Amino acid sequence: MEFNVTLLGQAITFAILVWFTMKFVWPPLTNMMEERAERIADGLAAAERGKQDLEAAEKRVADELRQAKQQATELILAAEKRANQIVEEAKDAARTEGAKLVTEAKSQIDQEVLRAKEALREQVAGLAVAGAEKILRKEIDAAKHADLLASIKAEF
Amino acid sequence: MASNATDYIKHHLTFWNSSHEGGFSSLHVDSFSVSLILGFLFAGVFAYVARNAKLENPGKLQLFVESIVEMVDTQVKEIFHAKSNVIAPLALTIFCWVFLMNAMDMLPVDLIPMAAQWIGFTFFGADPHHVYFRVVPSADVNVTFGLSISVLICIIGFSISAKGLGGWIKELFTAPFHASGPVGTILLAPANFALQMVELLAKPISLSLRLFGNMYSGELIFILIALLPWGAQWLLGAPWAIFHILVITLQAFVFMMLTIVYLSLAVEKH
């Protein structure tokens, strides 16, 4: 066991190596590793955020879908109601129209009947007068019995 | 074999010294150059990875380097609670460098020394018996003390930067024993100082001798196994090598952990 200048040489080499490691090895490596750790943490956080976003979006989609379905049902119900209403209205209108047509026709018929009766009455009266004239021509003076003739005529 | 077994072991345990006489100004060329090469290997690979580090789709080498950095970072954050830009790179350097130096023990004991002998003999005309090459730098006390004394300097530096020069010197004389009055404080100061010195000096000595002892004994056992008949070497060599994988990693880890612990103690207030 003898000490010599090797010890100093070793100590100097050691100092240089430590300085070199301090300057060129340790900082870049640890910085890089820290950055990587940060990046991994960021990535995980982003993934978590994405998952949450996705869940929220799915929930919103389900909500909107449900709403749309509800709206569609409402619309269908309203449309059915409206259709029924229109049918009812049409029926009503048709009914009133029909009734009107019927009453019109009835009144026309009545008028026709009245007119026919009138005409008939005229003709019967005429025929009766003509018949009576033929019968009475011989016995009755037309001028004398004009009042009588008129009253008979009116009775028809 | 038995007659030159001692020579074989001695040859394996002799450093390539820059001067034949030895002395303080001489250099162990083998441990110094191997540790230098391994240090540059570590720095080069890690700096290469750091420069080309990709945030996404990291390669296998990058993942390997990252796992080491992560391990060191976790240990430092668990033990050292003050803020420092030095301690984590320091711990990383210690772990990787000591591990690489220890790992030289896993090379066959004769591989590098014989290569060195062949090169010395062929290209430099050296006597092969006088070409020495010890390939495990951490089995050299100079190397381990070079590391641990640097750690000691860091401990002192961290203490002073955390408590101030005055605070640190005051603590040397007033802890661990506290007295209520000024007389008691002065009386206790020598005992406190002596204890603090022991505590301070025991740290680098235990650090370096633990590493040195483990690696030296490991190397020695590999040398002893190499003395067995070649057909029987695997019987002991394989289990010892496998066990040694644990030892070299553990020793590097222990050196790093204790350095972090010592430095965190240095910045804590007593």
Side-chain angles (χ1 to χ4, degrees), chain B residues 215-233:
Chain B
M215 299 327 293
Y216 186 84
S217 63
E219 192 188 20
L220 196 61
I221 287 170
F222 276 122
I223 294 169
L224 292 176
I225 290 169
L227 288 170
L228 293 171
W230 68 269
Q233 285 184 10

Side-chain angles (χ1 to χ4, degrees), chain A residues 4-6 10 21 36 39, chain B residues 24 28 35 56 66 93 142:
Chain A
N4 56 30
V5 82
T6 313
Q10 182 74 9
T21 310
R36 180 192 294 151
R39 200 178 272 200
Chain B
F24 184 76
H28 288 164
S35 72
E56 278 153 11
E66 274 179 25
T93 309
N142 288 295

Side-chain angles (χ1 to χ4, degrees), chain A residues 25-76:
Chain A
V25 175
W26 192 264
L29 274 176
T30 47
N31 287 345
M32 187 275 295
M33 284 157 81
E34 261 168 35
E35 199 181 323
R36 180 192 294 151
E38 234 166 63
R39 200 178 272 200
I40 289 171
D42 284 355
L44 287 176
E48 187 62 31
R49 225 168 28 242
K51 222 166 90 183
Q52 280 173 0
D53 284 356
L54 184 67
E55 270 170 19
E58 274 173 355
K59 208 170 148 194
R60 216 173 50 232
V61 165
D63 274 359
E64 302 227 325
L65 209 62
R66 211 180 52 239
Q67 266 180 14
K69 269 183 188 164
Q70 203 178 331
Q71 272 179 359
T73 336
E74 274 169 14
L75 277 176
I76 289 169

